[in-house]
């Protein structure tokens, strides 16, 4: 009798472990296809030829962007790279605040987010072929990407990381006051990264704004879709609880 009781309790405990709800869920086939497609898009975009630099005058630029354009500043250009790598490092560290069994899920979503945002950035840059602000000044740096101003890669990637980090952390710790700190720091770093590209002479304001909006949308949508998938799965998981009078099973339909 005692052995049967122990076996029954062990069975109930096992069910409870397997019934534990996941915050996000991966789909092997769709996610594999998504990753493969994102990698293919990234490679294809990188193989596109760099647009030629055209000779334009400042009067050809819209009045809003013209007010805030700058000559090239090497130090601010480097600062932009330091900021975005700092943001990426913070994102990597935040991945490990999740439960260990969800590290792989968060890592896959992170890779999807970066690949999608970066491939979109490369396609748009090389399709539009907009000259960077510094090309309208004398003695600008001779770089292959001088005609790839729109849209800002630093902006789309930094805001994708900030949006992703903020959403994922808030879903894992919805009751934690730290989620506001994570969100504030992430978007502050993203904002500084994007802003630094304007006085550095690397981007127009419109390049930065479009990149920030696009990146924020991608960083939110990737984990959001995986969250909805987990919610649908969790509704069909039986909840088993041990009670003094026995045990109960509840199935959410």
């Amino acid at each position: 009798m005692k052995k049967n009781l122990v076996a029954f309790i062990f069975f109930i405990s096992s069910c409870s472990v397997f019934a534990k709800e996941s915050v996000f869920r991966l789909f092997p086939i769709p996610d594999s296809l998504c990753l493969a497609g994102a990698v293919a898009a990234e490679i294809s975009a990188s193989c596109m030829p760099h647009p030629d630099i055209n000779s334009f005058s400042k009067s050809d630029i819209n009045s809003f962007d013209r007010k805030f354009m700058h000559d090239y500043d090497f130090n601010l250009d480097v600062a932009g790279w330091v900021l975005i790598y700092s943001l990426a490092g913070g994102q990597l560290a935040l991945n490990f605040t999740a439960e260990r069994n969800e590290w792989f899920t968060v890592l896959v979503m992170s890779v999807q987010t970066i690949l999608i945002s970066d491939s979109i950035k490369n396609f748009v840059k090389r399709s539009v072929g907009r000259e960077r602000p510094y090309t309208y000044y004398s003695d600008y740096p001779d770089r292959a990407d001088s005609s790839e101003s729109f849209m800002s890669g630093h902006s789309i990637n930094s805001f994708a990381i900030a949006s992703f980090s903020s959403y994922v952390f808030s879903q894992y710790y919805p009751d934690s006051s730290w989620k506001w700190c994570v969100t504030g720091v992430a978007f502050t770093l993203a904002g500084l990264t994007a802003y630094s590209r304007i006085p550095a002479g690397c981007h127009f304001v419109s390049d930065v704004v479009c990149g920030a909006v696009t990146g924020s949308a991608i960083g939110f949508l990737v984990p959001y879709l995986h969250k909805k998938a987990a919610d649908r799965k969790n509704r069909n998981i039986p909840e088993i609880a041990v009670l003094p009078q026995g045990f109960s099973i509840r199935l959410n339909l």
Side-chain angles (χ1 to χ4, degrees):
M1 180 66 180
K2 185 179 294 185
K3 289 183 178 180
N4 292 335
L5 180 61
V6 171
F8 176 75
I9 294 175
F10 177 79
F11 168 74
I12 296 299
S13 301
S14 300
C15 289
S16 299
V17 171
F18 286 111
K20 185 177 181 180
E21 295 184 356
S22 298
V23 179
F24 300 97
R25 183 189 180 194
L26 296 178
F27 286 92
I29 295 178
D31 280 302
S32 297
L33 292 175
C34 178
L35 284 172
V39 170
E42 179 76 351
I43 295 174
S44 299
S46 300
C47 292
M48 293 175 66
H50 296 283
D52 295 328
I53 298 178
N54 297 306
S55 298
F56 295 118
S57 64
K58 294 180 182 179
S59 59
D60 296 321
I61 305 170
N62 67 78
S63 59
F64 178 76
D65 280 333
R66 188 167 62 245
K67 290 179 181 178
F68 302 101
M69 63 186 297
H70 293 270
D71 197 357
Y72 181 71
D73 189 309
F74 175 78
N75 292 327
L76 286 174
D77 189 6
V78 173
W81 286 102
V82 172
L83 284 168
I84 195 169
Y85 280 124
S86 300
L87 188 59
Q91 161 60 41
L92 183 62
L94 280 176
N95 286 348
F96 298 103
T97 63
E99 296 290 336
R100 181 171 296 184
N101 63 330
E102 297 221 5
W103 284 358
F104 180 73
T105 299
V106 179
L107 179 61
V108 170
M109 293 191 301
S110 299
V111 173
Q112 287 177 335
T113 300
I114 293 301
L115 285 176
I116 291 172
S117 61
D118 205 59
S119 59
I120 289 175
K121 175 261 296 183
N122 286 333
F123 267 116
V124 173
K125 276 179 174 290
R126 299 190 181 182
S127 298
V128 174
R130 187 184 195 186
E131 282 69 25
R132 295 182 184 273
Y134 62 64
T135 62
Y136 292 85
Y137 297 85
S138 59
D139 299 326
Y140 62 84
D142 184 16
R143 297 182 357 184
D145 64 346
S146 292
S147 56
E148 298 178 9
S149 186
F150 186 85
M151 62 180 74
S152 169
H154 282 69
S155 298
I156 187 173
N157 288 330
S158 62
F159 273 88
I161 294 172
S163 181
F164 179 91
S165 302
S166 302
Y167 182 78
V168 170
F169 190 88
S170 66
Q171 293 304 309
Y172 277 120
Y173 306 103
D175 300 322
S176 173
S177 58
W178 280 100
K179 66 182 180 181
W180 302 113
C181 180
V182 170
T183 300
V185 171
F187 277 99
T188 297
L189 285 175
L192 289 173
T193 302
Y195 171 75
S196 71
R197 308 306 288 165
I198 299 172
C202 295
H203 287 288
F204 295 102
V205 174
S206 56
D207 302 334
V208 169
V209 172
C210 290
V213 172
T214 304
S216 297
I218 295 170
F220 168 75
L221 285 174
V222 170
Y224 173 78
L225 293 175
H226 288 86
K227 176 69 168 59
K228 299 301 289 185
D231 290 343
R232 287 194 296 270
K233 178 184 178 182
N234 292 334
R235 282 198 296 267
N236 298 321
I237 294 179
E239 297 179 4
I240 304 175
V242 180
L243 303 175
Q245 301 82 6
F247 67 94
S248 68
I249 301 177
R250 185 176 69 180
L251 180 62
N252 299 317
L253 300 176

